[in-house]
Amino acid sequence: MVESVSRRKFNGLAGLVGAGAFGAALSPWAAKEMDLKASGLTGQELSVDEMDAYHEAGVKAFPAETEGLGNQDLEFTLDGDVKVFDISCDVIDWEFDVDKTVEAWSYNGVVPGPAIRVTEGDTVRVNVTNNLPESTAVHWHGLIVPNNMDGVPYVTQPPIKPGETFTYEFTIQEGNAGSHMYHSHHNSAKQVTMGLLGAFIVEEATPDPVREHDVEWICVLNDGPIGGYSINGKSFPATQPIVCNVGDRLLVRYMNEGLMIHPMHLHGMPQTIIAQDGWMLPTPYMCDTINIAPGQRFDAIVECKDPGLWAFHCHILSHAESDHGMFGMVTVLIINEA
Ligand SMILES: [Cu+2]
């Protein structure tokens, strides 16, 4: 049982930062623990050693290898000056945690969908093909677009019925840089939480030194049928670590696509919040926990000063840990010696 779990793993944290951070072997509780932890508080009576073993197994498994990775930049083609992106909406199987696969509704086969990354002033065309069993539409959340491109069925366009393709086209306005999103705006409580969501990043035409960074991490939060509480479509220990060196400036682009608030807490060093919903804040502020409501985006800069493994998680604790160990909205910021 232990072997069947461990063969799917990377070397865990020890492989990323050198031996010694955590022990070597998975505990005998590992396989059973994988099934139980996503359910949150189980109420099961555990001995001290059993509880500790569950916690140990989850941490040692991190980062656990699963199929599928979202948020990768989407390739485009050029039609003259127009950047052309193709998105297909498909029903897929999505492995949100080790050996835990659910039906998801995806853009281009991944959750979150691929990141669309453009620059202020670009004209963007997105061909959206609907292969779902329901109609859909795409809303460009945070982008200032012409009314008929806003993506709300019966308000600004007809729904995109199964088998149809709808083409969106708009020019990114000056001043509309930042961390935005694209997602379904049709039967959205189901369709977005099922996975029809993605990051839409607009880079500044003239880079703003406040946003300057060495490492970027897009952090898409979701809650619902795709693995419960997830970061970038995955549940701990299948979440991805953020890997930096001492001295790096880390830019975190938070995006909440879920139905609940999620206060994201980084251990060890402050986050400086520089932008909200894409708009640069006149006075950036420092915090260790940033509460992100559904639909909100925050850009945070972290100055990576102290090497080590720093826990990074939602501080609604039932979104992150149970008596069977950490799960859901948990990852680790790994800061290596430069
Ligand atoms: Cu949360």
Side-chain angles (χ1 to χ4, degrees):
M1 229 172 168
V2 172
E3 279 152 18
S4 75
V5 171
S6 59
R7 72 179 157 73
R8 298 184 54 81
K9 305 295 185 293
F10 294 127
N11 291 326
L13 284 171
L16 287 161
V17 297
F22 297 97
L26 281 172
S27 87
W29 312 105
K32 197 167 76 170
E33 179 257 356
M34 293 297 169
D35 293 331
L36 290 172
K37 76 167 64 162
S39 63
L41 297 169
T42 62
Q44 188 182 332
E45 288 291 326
L46 297 173
S47 72
V48 170
D49 286 346
E50 283 174 328
M51 186 183 292
D52 292 353
Y54 279 119
H55 281 69
E56 181 185 29
V59 172
K60 281 183 178 163
F62 178 84
E65 185 180 12
T66 50
E67 293 293 322
L69 184 63
N71 280 347
Q72 320 253 38
D73 281 3
L74 182 58
E75 303 276 328
F76 58 86
T77 56
L78 281 173
D79 179 8
D81 290 337
V82 179
K83 291 182 175 173
V84 181
F85 297 88
D86 293 310
I87 294 273
S88 74
C89 312
D90 299 292
V91 178
I92 60 163
D93 291 327
W94 184 249
E95 190 181 23
F96 67 91
D97 194 358
V98 177
D99 293 333
K100 293 184 186 305
T101 298
V102 290
E103 179 182 307
W105 290 18
S106 74
Y107 294 132
N108 291 8
V110 286
V111 182
I116 297 177
R117 187 182 296 270
V118 296
T119 304
E120 283 173 298
D122 282 350
T123 297
V124 176
R125 183 183 304 150
V126 188
N127 302 308
V128 178
T129 299
N130 180 11
N131 300 317
L132 302 169
E134 292 180 5
S135 297
T136 193
V138 179
H139 171 60
W140 314 97
H141 186 108
L143 295 168
I144 298 167
V145 299
N147 184 250
N148 64 352
M149 293 289 109
D150 197 43
V152 184
Y154 301 112
V155 177
T156 60
Q157 67 166 89
I160 311 171
K161 292 194 179 290
E164 291 182 351
T165 297
F166 188 93
T167 297
Y168 295 89
E169 186 165 325
F170 45 85
T171 299
I172 308 292
Q173 294 193 12
E174 196 181 328
N176 202 189
S179 304
H180 304 302
M181 307 190 287
Y182 66 104
H183 54 219
S184 167
H185 213 293
H186 190 64
N187 196 16
S188 53
K190 172 185 175 185
Q191 292 194 4
V192 177
T193 57
M194 286 286 284
L196 293 175
L197 53 94
F200 198 118
I201 308 290
V202 179
E203 309 277 10
E204 291 110 339
T206 305
D208 186 332
V210 176
R211 254 206 198 92
E212 208 171 89
H213 55 274
D214 302 292
V215 176
E216 176 195 68
W217 183 53
I218 299 172
C219 175
V220 180
L221 305 167
N222 199 8
D223 47 71
I226 308 299
Y229 304 109
S230 61
I231 298 177
N232 296 332
K234 304 286 180 175
S235 175
F236 184 88
T239 46
Q240 298 282 305
I242 309 125
V243 182
C244 294
N245 291 321
V246 170
D248 279 350
R249 273 168 70 93
L250 166 67
L251 170 64
V252 181
R253 296 181 183 272
Y254 291 111
M255 308 179 180
N256 188 348
E257 289 278 23
L259 306 178
M260 306 174 185
I261 58 167
H262 297 291
M264 292 300 293
H265 175 55
L266 172 63
H267 290 213
M269 61 214 83
Q271 312 184 50
T272 301
I273 307 301
I274 59 166
Q276 177 173 346
D277 299 340
W279 308 110
M280 298 305 286
L281 297 178
T283 309
Y285 61 92
M286 294 168 83
C287 62
D288 57 49
T289 307
I290 176 73
N291 195 20
I292 305 153
Q296 285 189 315
R297 289 90 61 217
F298 287 96
D299 289 6
I301 292 284
V302 176
E303 303 279 359
C304 297
K305 289 188 174 145
D306 295 323
L309 308 168
W310 298 104
F312 201 165
H313 61 93
C314 176
H315 217 293
I316 295 178
L317 298 175
S318 54
H319 298 181
E321 191 164 41
S322 77
D323 51 1
H324 286 74
M326 293 193 289
F327 72 99
M329 292 177 157
V330 179
T331 186
V332 176
L333 169 59
I334 297 170
I335 301 181
N336 292 310
E337 299 278 6

